[in-house]
Amino acid sequence: MLMLWLALAALPLPASGFSFEDVIDKARALADESYQAPTPIPAFLRELTYEQYQGIRFKSENSLWIKSDARFQVMLMSPGLYFKHPVVLHEVDAEGVRPITYNKTDYSYTNEELAKRIPADLGHGGFKLTYPLQGPDSRNQFLVFAGASYFRAVGRDNSFGLSARGVAVNTGLPSGEQFPSFTEFWLVRPDAKSETMTVYALLDGRSLTGAYRFDVRTGDNTVMDVQSRLFIRSDIEKLGIAPLTSMFFYGGNTARPRGEWRPRVHDSGGLLVHNGVSGEWLWRPLLNPKSLKLDYFQTESVQGFGLMQRQTNFEDFQDYGANYHRRPSAWVKPKGDWGKGRVVLVQLPTNNETNDNIVAFWTPDEPVREGQSLSFDYSLKVGGPSVSGGDRARAERTFVGDGNRVGGGTVEGAYRVIVDFAGGPLKDLSADAPVTSAVTAGGDAEVIEHFVEFLSPVNRWRLSILAKPAEGQPLALRAFLKNEEEAVSETWSYDIPADNDILGEAR
């Protein structure tokens, strides 16, 4: 009996019974109350410039578990600039749950006058997780929770780029988007050898509340197993599950803005969708449209979707400051059957690279009504472009040009479209393999020609398409490669808006 007692005593103690159910209960009760927007921070902090906010720096020696041997450490963040209201932070361990108090001396300030004005009870703006990714003595930031329901992650070799969110509400609708916020977090202290850390979060918004559990592990990629429970306060026209937000200014498939010398500028190059019923892997290169553009991809039992950065060489961007070639890809993989729904791609116009203008999420076909309780569990993997696990040849590059000039063709009003495929079943084929293309156009558009050739210098297969849209209409194309009669590539899907700069003038 004594040996049994000693063995039990050596096990970690439960945190006073605290669990995900406590967060769920809190979210459920909150949904029965009228919405109260978070109290904003003082105006002078909301109006800081980016440089001024960067001058408020958390001292790493004050990290939450710095005196322990835990691989995971927590750096705190000040409110300010984009982070316009404080959040409540708790630490959870074997001794119970206790608040993580704010202390302005945990920070250094490059502007002493600004430091004097910061209230002693300002509160936390968010937090960053660190882990020894680059060696046992390193503390590398790999996950940040800050701003509404946003969070950002990277893998071992990435720079920060795209963001994820807890939820999206009415994104892209004329009624205006709502931005629910994570208002409270519980950080579960891991032991020294743990490779997983758990974070709980409470979400509050005008039309819904939510409880979230994130089980986080990192390495070459960062993987988060996410459990979400949503409680609907009022009808929602378009509910976005597992939203991803990114930036696309221009790429190889678009005209380069006047004066720009870099070949591409984007955090993500395309949307990838894996449909559960058909098994199709669909690739949609991104655009910077002249006006709001919404695309819907119907799915039944969706198997995954994500925003991907497939150009990973410095030469693709030539920007040593922004390091766009190191920006991560992100892949959402549902757990269980989410049912019928659509992956939505929202693309907004932007005239620079500082605005996130791309959003992708899954939305259910069934209406979302007041009083409903919804559950969506999924994994989110962030890292290199292989995070999707797809086994088809990938559409690596898309180029679009005039179909009525040397190298393009001799058809006025047509477009020459080039798509390079590589990897998957194409990888080991000989140059004379019978690879052909299947190409279709939507509406009254005409596919004039298409053919495939092997590019031996780069070991890629190039699909060349000459197509012409109907007068004043966009050009919608779909294509994939076949080896004899077997599909060997993703389905490349592309939409050239009628109003574009590719032919030298708006059409």
Side-chain angles (χ1 to χ4, degrees):
M1 181 64 71
L2 177 61
M3 293 301 295
L4 176 60
W5 183 88
L6 290 173
L8 291 173
L11 295 175
L13 294 174
S16 301
F18 184 85
S19 72
F20 188 34
E21 290 300 321
D22 294 287
V23 188
I24 293 172
D25 290 342
K26 193 165 187 174
R28 183 185 291 112
L30 189 61
D32 292 331
E33 302 174 6
S34 60
Y35 173 64
Q36 300 293 324
T39 302
I41 58 177
F44 77 90
L45 286 169
R46 302 197 303 269
E47 296 166 359
L48 293 177
T49 66
Y50 178 80
E51 290 75 17
Q52 288 171 330
Y53 180 75
Q54 291 299 310
I56 305 173
R57 299 171 183 169
F58 182 76
K59 301 173 184 176
S60 60
E61 61 268 24
N62 294 326
S63 294
L64 187 57
W65 300 314
I66 195 66
K67 296 181 180 179
S68 76
D69 294 327
R71 299 173 185 175
F72 293 96
Q73 300 286 327
V74 180
M75 298 179 66
L76 304 177
M77 296 176 63
S78 172
L81 190 57
Y82 309 122
F83 318 127
K84 299 184 183 301
H85 64 80
V87 297
V88 179
L89 302 181
H90 307 274
E91 179 183 6
V92 181
D93 62 15
E95 297 179 0
V97 181
R98 56 186 172 275
I100 299 171
T101 56
Y102 170 81
N103 189 337
K104 64 182 293 183
T105 63
D106 286 340
Y107 297 84
S108 63
Y109 305 87
T110 58
N111 185 326
E112 289 300 322
E113 291 302 314
L114 174 63
K116 293 177 182 178
R117 299 178 65 190
I118 293 177
D121 59 350
L122 177 62
H124 305 290
F127 61 93
K128 304 174 182 179
L129 297 186
T130 68
Y131 193 87
L133 291 175
Q134 303 297 337
D137 297 325
S138 65
R139 290 199 296 270
N140 308 109
Q141 298 177 21
F142 74 94
L143 179 59
V144 180
F145 280 87
S149 68
Y150 285 87
F151 54 99
R152 297 191 299 159
V154 292
R156 188 191 313 276
D157 299 321
N158 298 132
S159 299
F160 281 102
L162 85 175
S163 301
R165 278 192 269 169
V167 72
V169 178
N170 295 341
T171 306
L173 297 186
S175 59
E177 183 172 4
Q178 299 176 26
F179 290 91
S181 294
F182 288 134
T183 58
E184 196 168 1
F185 293 92
W186 294 260
L187 312 181
V188 181
R189 180 172 179 166
D191 62 36
K193 296 182 179 180
S194 178
E195 297 181 354
T196 302
M197 179 178 164
T198 298
V199 175
Y200 300 108
L202 176 70
L203 180 121
D204 193 16
R206 192 188 317 160
S207 297
L208 81 173
T209 67
Y212 288 75
R213 173 173 175 157
F214 301 89
D215 292 312
V216 181
R217 56 191 184 276
T218 191
D220 291 341
N221 303 310
T222 290
V223 182
M224 286 170 275
D225 292 317
V226 183
Q227 298 179 53
S228 67
R229 305 292 181 265
L230 303 177
F231 302 94
I232 309 303
R233 270 196 175 113
S234 59
D235 295 355
I236 296 175
E237 186 174 351
K238 185 185 293 179
L239 177 66
I241 302 302
L244 302 172
T245 300
S246 193
M247 180 276 294
F248 183 92
F249 186 23
Y250 64 92
N253 57 310
T254 68
R256 185 184 300 180
R258 179 174 296 179
E260 281 288 352
W261 57 270
R262 296 167 293 180
R264 297 175 178 83
V265 174
H266 54 74
D267 286 336
S268 303
L271 168 72
L272 183 64
V273 179
H274 187 197
N275 198 333
V277 173
S278 67
E280 179 183 61
W281 290 81
L282 183 140
W283 173 251
R284 169 60 68 94
L286 298 179
L287 293 170
N288 179 3
K290 290 191 174 182
S291 58
L292 170 66
K293 190 174 190 304
L294 291 168
D295 291 297
Y296 298 87
F297 304 93
Q298 191 67 39
T299 64
E300 188 168 341
S301 186
V302 62
Q303 296 300 293
F305 67 93
L307 292 175
M308 319 300 286
Q309 183 78 319
R310 287 182 168 175
Q311 284 73 49
T312 57
N313 297 317
F314 171 75
E315 290 77 11
D316 293 322
F317 298 92
Q318 296 288 341
D319 192 329
Y320 197 59
N323 281 322
Y324 287 116
H325 63 289
R326 297 182 59 196
R327 302 299 169 100
S329 298
W331 184 248
V332 175
K333 184 175 179 58
K335 295 184 178 182
D337 186 355
W338 284 4
K340 294 182 179 180
R342 294 167 292 172
V343 174
V344 182
L345 176 62
V346 181
Q347 299 178 100
L348 299 164
T350 182
N351 59 7
N352 59 58
E353 62 201 271
T354 63
N355 297 318
D356 284 344
N357 62 322
I358 305 295
V359 187
F361 52 84
W362 183 88
T363 190
D365 281 349
E366 291 295 320
V368 177
R369 302 300 189 197
E370 178 182 348
Q372 280 186 292
S373 300
L374 304 173
S375 298
F376 296 98
D377 296 345
Y378 57 94
S379 68
L380 174 62
K381 181 182 283 190
V382 181
S386 63
V387 291
S388 68
D391 58 359
R392 301 289 181 93
R394 300 191 311 201
E396 297 281 358
R397 287 170 170 80
T398 298
F399 305 98
V400 183
D402 194 339
N404 187 30
R405 65 174 59 199
V406 175
T410 58
V411 180
E412 184 177 354
Y415 296 86
R416 175 63 66 179
V417 182
I418 303 295
V419 189
D420 286 354
F421 293 87
L426 292 177
K427 183 178 180 181
D428 299 321
L429 293 182
S430 62
D432 59 355
V435 177
T436 58
S437 53
V439 181
T440 57
D444 296 326
E446 178 187 4
V447 177
I448 300 167
E449 69 173 16
H450 60 96
F451 58 89
V452 181
E453 58 184 332
F454 179 67
L455 306 182
S456 57
V458 289
N459 194 29
R460 294 199 296 264
W461 293 80
R462 172 161 290 182
L463 167 61
S464 182
I465 305 168
L466 183 64
K468 183 177 181 179
E471 184 67 28
Q473 298 298 311
L475 176 60
L477 296 170
R478 286 171 60 93
F480 62 90
L481 299 189
K482 302 184 294 181
N483 181 17
E484 296 181 341
E485 293 305 312
E486 180 184 1
V488 294
S489 76
E490 302 167 335
T491 298
W492 169 89
S493 169
Y494 200 62
D495 191 6
I496 302 175
D499 185 11
N500 66 72
D501 297 325
I502 296 170
L503 303 186
E505 60 181 10
R507 302 186 59 83

